[in-house]
Amino acid sequence: MVSANQEMVVYCFDTLIAHYNSEQAPPPGFEEGQHPLFVTWKKAVNGAEPRLRGCIGTLEARCIVNGFRDYALTSALRDRRFPPIQAKELPYLECTVSILTDYEPALNYLDWEIGKHGLIIEFTDPDYNTRRSATYLPEVAAHEGWTKTEAIDSLMRKAGFNGAISESLRNRLRTTRYQSTLYTMHYRDYVSYVKMTRGEDKSVQGSSSNSIANGVLSIISGGAASPFLNTKDDDDLLVIRWMEEGLYESC
């Protein structure tokens, strides 16, 4: 079984910096495999607790080399909850990669352990007769200090359900639990690692951070329009499209 490791995080940083520099990332230092995976970016300033800046991945197994390359950028630049990460934020970033394993159906919505299991819930919205789903990685509930019921209710809200949450509705959830391995690295440790192993000083070349960020916005939006969706209908359409593409926010 493939486990999350340092080289996977290094590859995610390599990929993001290569994007800003409009160049190819160095080849990865880990072997190919097939696994569900997630990439999480957090930002810490002045010693404060790191805050989420992007977290997207797939619940379906895929080639991990292409997967980490794609989701390193998708989570940094296309997480609909946040503006795209700018190059000037790099010194404050930490990256976590997660490899998901051991999928199994839960007997009910309480059949899982906080800190051990991630969750996928699926259900039909009784108000709109639409399918909804959402996931949290294993570390989320423990980090937030939630009970099992609080985590489930939060997942239902994350899935887009705005109605009353009843015990009857919770019992109708289709719940899948899973486990994961993860590895986290801060940008400063990435820079030290690259200097030690490659003799390189990593930096963003050429344009200023603001120019790079504006270019990212233009690429994502396909022009001058804002990449962020402002209406509920547009937001629901984006959720549906992301589900069809296998993209999930997990944090």
Side-chain angles (χ1 to χ4, degrees):
M1 181 185 72
V2 176
S3 295
N5 60 55
Q6 177 177 249
E7 290 294 341
M8 295 172 181
V9 185
V10 168
Y11 187 55
C12 289
F13 272 117
D14 281 344
T15 298
L16 184 58
I17 292 173
H19 171 79
Y20 291 137
N21 288 336
S22 299
E23 61 188 20
Q24 291 291 323
F30 55 90
E31 295 184 0
E32 184 62 280
Q34 292 268 346
H35 279 282
L37 57 92
F38 277 80
V39 178
T40 303
W41 297 100
K42 291 185 178 182
K43 179 180 178 181
V45 180
N46 297 327
E49 182 178 358
R51 299 180 66 87
L52 187 64
R53 281 295 276 113
C55 180
I56 292 177
T58 176
L59 298 173
E60 303 294 331
R62 63 168 296 177
C63 296
I64 60 176
V65 172
N66 288 341
F68 282 125
R69 180 195 64 203
D70 293 346
Y71 293 121
L73 295 180
T74 303
S75 59
L77 307 175
R78 291 181 59 203
D79 190 320
R80 64 196 178 98
R81 299 168 293 179
F82 306 101
I85 293 175
Q86 299 182 25
K88 65 183 180 182
E89 297 179 76
L90 278 170
Y92 310 104
L93 293 181
E94 68 175 31
C95 180
T96 298
V97 298
S98 301
I99 297 285
L100 311 189
T101 62
D102 300 309
Y103 283 60
E104 54 187 353
L107 297 177
N108 54 61
Y109 76 90
L110 295 175
D111 182 29
W112 57 284
E113 295 182 32
I114 293 175
K116 178 180 179 180
H117 292 116
L119 295 173
I120 305 166
I121 62 164
E122 301 171 81
F123 63 102
T124 299
D125 188 321
D127 297 329
Y128 297 97
N129 196 33
T130 56
R131 175 179 170 270
R132 298 193 180 276
S133 65
T135 186
Y136 277 143
L137 292 173
E139 60 268 25
V140 173
H143 179 268
E144 296 295 334
W146 289 330
T147 65
K148 291 182 180 181
T149 300
E150 288 171 339
I152 289 293
D153 289 357
S154 177
L155 262 181
M156 294 177 72
R157 296 302 186 205
K158 182 182 177 185
F161 178 64
N162 296 315
I165 298 177
S166 64
E167 185 67 10
S168 174
L169 182 56
R170 293 189 192 103
N171 284 324
R172 294 200 299 272
L173 297 176
R174 178 184 176 186
T175 305
T176 301
R177 65 189 191 186
Y178 59 86
Q179 299 179 50
S180 72
T181 62
L182 56 85
Y183 196 98
T184 300
M185 176 182 278
H186 192 278
Y187 178 75
R188 62 176 174 271
D189 300 316
Y190 160 76
V191 171
S192 297
Y193 176 84
V194 169
K195 188 169 185 178
M196 179 182 66
T197 58
R198 304 178 196 163
E200 298 177 5
D201 289 317
K202 300 302 292 185
S203 62
V204 175
Q205 307 297 327
S207 302
S208 68
S209 296
N210 287 336
S211 297
I212 293 169
N214 290 336
V216 170
L217 285 171
S218 179
I219 290 168
I220 295 173
S221 63
S226 169
F228 304 111
L229 301 172
N230 297 317
T231 69
K232 183 180 185 302
D233 289 342
D234 283 345
D235 197 51
D236 287 344
L237 287 173
L238 182 61
V239 171
I240 292 170
R241 179 173 64 79
W242 279 28
M243 288 170 60
E244 290 173 345
E245 294 177 359
L247 301 175
Y248 283 85
E249 300 159 352
S250 65
C251 303

